[in-house]
């Protein structure tokens, strides 16, 4: 049994301690924006924020998420930076199939929160753990710069 | 589905009308003619597809009284943007304002929608015309409705933007106001329809800069985590399944000890699924399923199973070793094989030649590996099966399930979710048949079968491994006098029938016998090769090895001749001309009419010229830097790629830029075409540098993405420039999703050669640059 705070809501999750946060979010809490792609921290599709930091929920046991604020893609638009990143993704038409993009947006948002104007190198560092089989990397990179440039234009 | 049809506001037509409309030349007629026994003339394009095409507005377009136009999309959306692009076509022809257009996804139901098999890069080329006709018919009905309402001649009524105008008086009625009346009118005859000329298009062909954003219909849902993929449907009482499948193609279950698995919290039941023999087709592989309360418990349960497999049941497959197999094919490539195409006398040309060049190329197995692994949810209710799944070919799923459960195809409903990538993997519904099997075993209870990444890599329908051997004879000026090409790969046909040991027409037609060079003596052969894993479509399919070999070899000949690669390639192609597929023993031609669809050397030359010019071909480059070029015709479209790469003294590769010039004829949605080209560049880089599936003792050696490597942002080019050329209605429409991919790997390897002098003949490059 774990008490999880996800997108500001408290959930009592009746599951073994070692259950990865990914499956608690998807199967128990039934928030499906967080995706399964590999289960071993190779693809980034499952990325969520824990206290603002991007983590791979597929290798984070729910015991490690107790007492932390978990944010998923469903709620990232409530954050000004997150909303800007989403808008940049739309402006540049980043997504193809879209399956990886929730995770990409979570990492991009975490990056922009600690580094308002990241260099190309910093972007690659932050994003290289994500796989996109559709091959949207160049647009992701541009969209992160675009989101950084639109700082202060928040609605 | 009937529920969808029942809600059609525009649905004036009685069932009788509806069928009559179809019989005028649509699906029913086509379906009847499609049978090879009945066909008295060959069918091409959409006509030749099972269940053909439909252009009835009542099937595809609905207008509600509030003016919202709903376009029904019946093709699978996997990132190519078809939900947006087909709706653009309908909106334009109808005269709808994009803001008031919605897209609804059709279930799998070919008897209503026509063919839904979304592969072969043919959604737009087969559906542009029917979708335009459906929308033009609806537009005409709106004009007629307005004329009735105003009691004026219909000639005085014209659709503007989301309204019908009475031209003499300037009166207007909105689409919503006319919907009810329009829905009572008969559908106009096909041959009376007026299609808008190009000047009147507002959406078709418009590039991103000229559009309001957000444009893509699923964009908002995707960035906010609301988009629904295969694993995102929850049903009450649903259970979760993970399956242990035979580790070798053809192995059978001998025994299972499930005691430990059953003891785990959350595990509900263990169910055996019968293993299939070979060929497996689209059947589930079988094995042992763990049914649990959530995915994690099911995975844990599977880990706890103790299974013994009867490996010998797999026969030769149990000894399949991909390294040995490569050596075996390379060896076989030195002897002649089945003749596929011949012009002139290659032996005589080689005798006469001043120099002989030869090379053998290798491309390994690969897995499609969409980031969304296969997944399906199924339940059985009242003798009907209901399925939610990401599937490229819903009709194959319906037919498979109907056969499996003894149901009529009409009693199998497939709700198509978004696909988290397809690339050919999701053309095969084996994972859906697993879910229906398990639901049946659980008295119809909803079951979601989730594949893990390990499952996806171990049990893909693999891209065929290929060996291509080429020989050429050059005269003293370096001109090619003779060309010999032997291609060896297992055939996809081995999936459905006893292994034919040779590539089939549709496989040879992918860039092998369509080899476009203007050489006097040509001999193309196909020696035997056997299949030992499930072989299946992978984006662009056999075009990948054929393009890699032919375009690498062309560069090798240029180097041997001491010539500039671009100039030499243009000379090999020869003058602008059309090559009739029938003259090069090419009977498949992507299913298209050989009268219309020929190999156009002028268009091939043009994409080479565009890409090389944009990349600054011929400019001075620093030591360790090089430009590489390749061109390829596939899926009735033309693509040329130039890479600019740099390799440092440690063998580390940097990709500075990629230029891709692309000609698919008329471009409906240039922005999504660009994104497909960008994606092709990235995927092709992975094919060239990293991605390989290997087998040892019949088992796949790669478990997850730490072993099956895909490109990441760090290896992506600093810039990808896409040059779309020739958006013309004068040439027949081409494909988009696949044809960008084949030239990418050879262009990159040619660039590596230009930078280092190192010739890559065996993919992936891996550590060949450092060793
Ligand atoms: S699913 Fe967590 S990183 Fe891939
Ligand atoms: S958009 Fe398809 S995997 Fe990234």
């Amino acid at each position: 049994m774990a008490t999880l705070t996800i997108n500001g809501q408290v959930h009592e999750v009746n599951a073994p301690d070692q259950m990865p946060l990914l499956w608690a979010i998807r199967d128990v809490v039934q928030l499906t924006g967080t995706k399964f792609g590999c289960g071993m921290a190779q693809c980034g599709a499952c990325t969520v924020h824990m206290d603002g930091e991007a983590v791979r929920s597929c290798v984070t046991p729910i015991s490690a998420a107790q007492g932390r604020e978990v944010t998923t893609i469903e709620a990232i638009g409530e954050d000004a930076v997150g909303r800007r990143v989403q808008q940049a993704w739309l402006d540049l038409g980043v997504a193809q199939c879209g399956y990886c993009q929730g995770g990409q947006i979570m990492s991009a948002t975490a990056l922009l929160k600690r580094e308002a104007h990241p260099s190309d190198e910093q972007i690659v560092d932050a994003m290289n753990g994500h796989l996109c089989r559709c091959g949207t990397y160049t647009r992701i990179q541009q969209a992160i710069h675009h989101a950084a440039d639109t700082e202060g234009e928040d609605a | 589905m009937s529920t969808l049809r029942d809600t059609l506001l525009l649905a004036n037509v009685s069932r009788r009308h509806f069928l009559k409309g179809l019989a005028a030349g649509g699906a029913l007629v086509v379906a009847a003619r499609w049978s090879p026994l009945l066909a008295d003339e060959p069918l091409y394009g959409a006509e030749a597809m099972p269940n053909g095409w439909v252009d009835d507005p009542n099937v595809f377009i609905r207008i509600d009284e509030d003016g919202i136009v709903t376009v029904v999309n019946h093709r699978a959306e996997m990132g190519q943007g078809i939900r947006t692009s087909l709706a653009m076509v309908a909106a334009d022809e109808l005269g709808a304002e994009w803001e008031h257009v919605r897209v609804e996804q059709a279930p799998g139901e070919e008897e209503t929608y026509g063919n839904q098999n979304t592969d072969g890069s043919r959604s737009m080329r087969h559906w542009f015309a029917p979708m335009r006709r459906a929308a033009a018919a609806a537009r005409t009905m709106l004009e007629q409705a307005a004329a009735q309402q105003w009691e004026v001649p219909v000639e005085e009524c014209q659709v503007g933007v989301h309204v019908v105008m009475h031209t003499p008086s300037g009166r207007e009625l909105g689409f919503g106001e006319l919907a009810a009346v329009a829905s009572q009118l008969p559908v106009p005859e096909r041959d009376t329809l007026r299609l808008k000329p190009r000047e009147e298009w507002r959406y078709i062909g418009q590039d991103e800069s000229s559009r309001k954003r957000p444009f893509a219909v699923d964009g908002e849902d995707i960035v906010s985590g609301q988009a629904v993929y295969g694993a995102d449907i929850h049903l009450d009482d649903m259970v979760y399944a993970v399956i242990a499948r035979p580790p070798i193609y053809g192995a059978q279950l001998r025994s299972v000890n499930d005691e430990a698995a059953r003891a785990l919290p959350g595990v509900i039941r263990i169910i055996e699924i019968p293993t299939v023999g070979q060929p497996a087709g689209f059947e589930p592989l079988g094995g042992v399923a763990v049914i649990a309360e959530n995915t994690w418990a099911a995975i844990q349960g599977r880990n706890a199973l103790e299974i013994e497999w009867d490996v010998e049941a797999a026969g030769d497959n149990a000894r399949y070793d991909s390294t040995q197999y490569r050596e075996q094919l390379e060896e076989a490539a030195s002897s002649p094989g089945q003749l596929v195409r011949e012009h002139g006398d290659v032996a005589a040309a080689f005798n006469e030649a001043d120099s002989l060049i030869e090379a053998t190329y290798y491309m390994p197995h690969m897995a499609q590996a969409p980031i969304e692994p296969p997944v399906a949810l199924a339940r059985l209710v009242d003798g009907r099966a209901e399925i939610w799944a990401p599937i490229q070919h819903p009709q194959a799923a319906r037919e498979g399930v109907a056969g499996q459960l003894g149901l009529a195809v009409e009693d199998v409903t497939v709700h198509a979710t978004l696909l988290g990538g397809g690339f050919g993997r999701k053309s095969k519904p084996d994972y859906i048949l697993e879910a229906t099997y398990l639901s049946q075993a659980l008295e119809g209870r909803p079951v979601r079968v989730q594949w893990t990444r390990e499952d996806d890599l171990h049990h893909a329908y693999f891209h065929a491994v290929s060996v291509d051997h080429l020989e050429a004879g050059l005269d003293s000026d370096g001109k090619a006098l003779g060309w010999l090409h032997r291609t060896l790969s297992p055939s996809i046909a081995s999936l459905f029938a006893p292994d034919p040991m040779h590539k089939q027409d549709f496989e040879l037609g992918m860039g092998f016998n369509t080899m476009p060079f203007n050489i006097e003596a040509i001999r193309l052969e196909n020696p035997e090769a056997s299949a030992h894993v499930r072989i299946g479509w992978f984006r662009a399919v056999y075009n990948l090895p054929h393009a890699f070999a032919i375009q690498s070899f062309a560069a090798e000949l240029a180097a041997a001749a001491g010539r500039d690669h671009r100039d030499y390639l243009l000379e090999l192609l020869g003058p602008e001309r059309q090559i009739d597929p029938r003259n090069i023993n090419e009977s498949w031609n992507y299913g298209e009419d050989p009268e219309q669809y020929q190999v156009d050397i002028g268009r091939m030359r043009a994409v080479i010229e565009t890409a090389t010019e944009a990349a600054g071909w011929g400019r001075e480059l620093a030591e360790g830097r090089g430009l590489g070029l390749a061109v390829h015709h596939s899926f009735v479209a033309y693509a040329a790629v130039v890479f600019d790469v740099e390799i440092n003294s440690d063998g580390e590769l940097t990709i500075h830029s990629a230029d891709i010039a692309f000609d698919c004829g008329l471009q409906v949605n240039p922005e999504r075409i660009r994104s497909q080209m960008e994606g092709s560049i990235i995927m092709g880089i992975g094919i060239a540098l990293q991605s390989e599936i290997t087998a040892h003792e019949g088992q796949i050696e790669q478990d997850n993405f730490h072993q099956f490597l895909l490109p990441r942002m760090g290896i992506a080019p600093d810039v990808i420039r896409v040059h779309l050329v020739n958006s013309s209605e004068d040439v027949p429409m081409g494909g988009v999703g696949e044809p960008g991919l084949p030239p990418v790997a050879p262009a990159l390897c040619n660039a590596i050669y230009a930078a280092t002098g190192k010739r890559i003949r065996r993919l992936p490059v891996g550590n060949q640059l450092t060793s």
Side-chain angles (χ1 to χ4, degrees), chain B residues 460-502:
Chain B
Y461 292 80
F462 296 98
H463 178 64
V465 35
S466 303
V467 165
D468 285 89
H469 175 76
L470 290 103
E471 298 178 14
L474 308 184
D475 71 11
S476 53
D477 294 333
K479 179 178 165 12
L481 302 175
W483 172 283
L484 170 75
H485 183 174
R486 294 193 187 111
T487 189
L488 300 87
S489 300
S491 168
I492 291 171
S494 64
L495 187 57
F496 304 102
D499 194 341
M501 305 290 284
H502 289 284

Side-chain angles (χ1 to χ4, degrees), chain B residues 38 159 207 221 538 649 673 736:
Chain B
L38 296 177
V159 163
D207 218 335
D221 284 345
F538 176 111
S649 51
I673 298 174
V736 170

Side-chain angles (χ1 to χ4, degrees), chain A residues 96-101 132-134 136, chain B residues 371:
Chain A
Q96 289 186 33
C97 83
Y99 191 81
C100 73
Q101 299 296 346
C132 175
R133 188 60 161 148
C134 299
T136 61
Chain B
I371 305 297

